[in-house]
Amino acid sequence: GAERLRAHYAAHPTYQPLSDDVRHQQARDFAQRLTVEPVAAAPAHIAALRDAGWSERGVVTLAQLVGFISFQSRLLAGLRLLQGEESSSPAHAAVAGRWHTAAQTLSGQT
C-alpha cells in the first residue's frame, strides 16, 4: 500500500522487476510471509529459498531488506500522518498476529 515508496524504488536506475521464475516466486512468497505474518516463517520456507537457488547470504539479505522496507514504509506513513497528510491507500486493520505456542525453540531452548 505504499505507492510513493514503490515508485521511489521503481525509479532507481538499477531497478528490475522480478520475473516469474521459481527463484523470484519463492522470494515474493517469503517477503509476503515476513511482511504479513512473520511468525509463520519456518525453516521449511528458508529451505524452499535454498532449493530455488538462494545462497545463505542471499536469504539473510532478503530477510533484512524485507524488514527494512517494512519499517521504512511504516515510518513514512507515520511521518505523513504527523504532517497532516491523508493516507492515499486504504487503511488496513492492525492486528497483533499470533504468537508461537511451542514449548521449545527449534534448537531445544525454552
Side-chain angles (χ1 to χ4, degrees), residues 38-79:
V39 73
H45 301 119
I46 294 171
L49 284 169
R50 298 292 311 272
D51 291 345
W54 286 84
S55 68
E56 285 183 21
R57 178 175 277 174
V59 171
V60 170
T61 301
L62 177 61
Q64 289 174 330
L65 185 62
V66 168
F68 172 75
I69 292 175
S70 179
F71 169 77
Q72 187 181 36
S73 67
R74 290 190 313 271
L75 175 67
L76 291 171
L79 289 172

Side-chain angles (χ1 to χ4, degrees), residues 1-7 73 76-77 80-81 84-92:
E3 183 56 34
R4 288 166 57 183
L5 187 58
R6 187 210 60 78
S73 67
L76 291 171
R80 286 188 189 106
L81 287 173
E85 291 184 32
E86 291 291 324
S87 176
S88 60
S89 60
H92 297 284

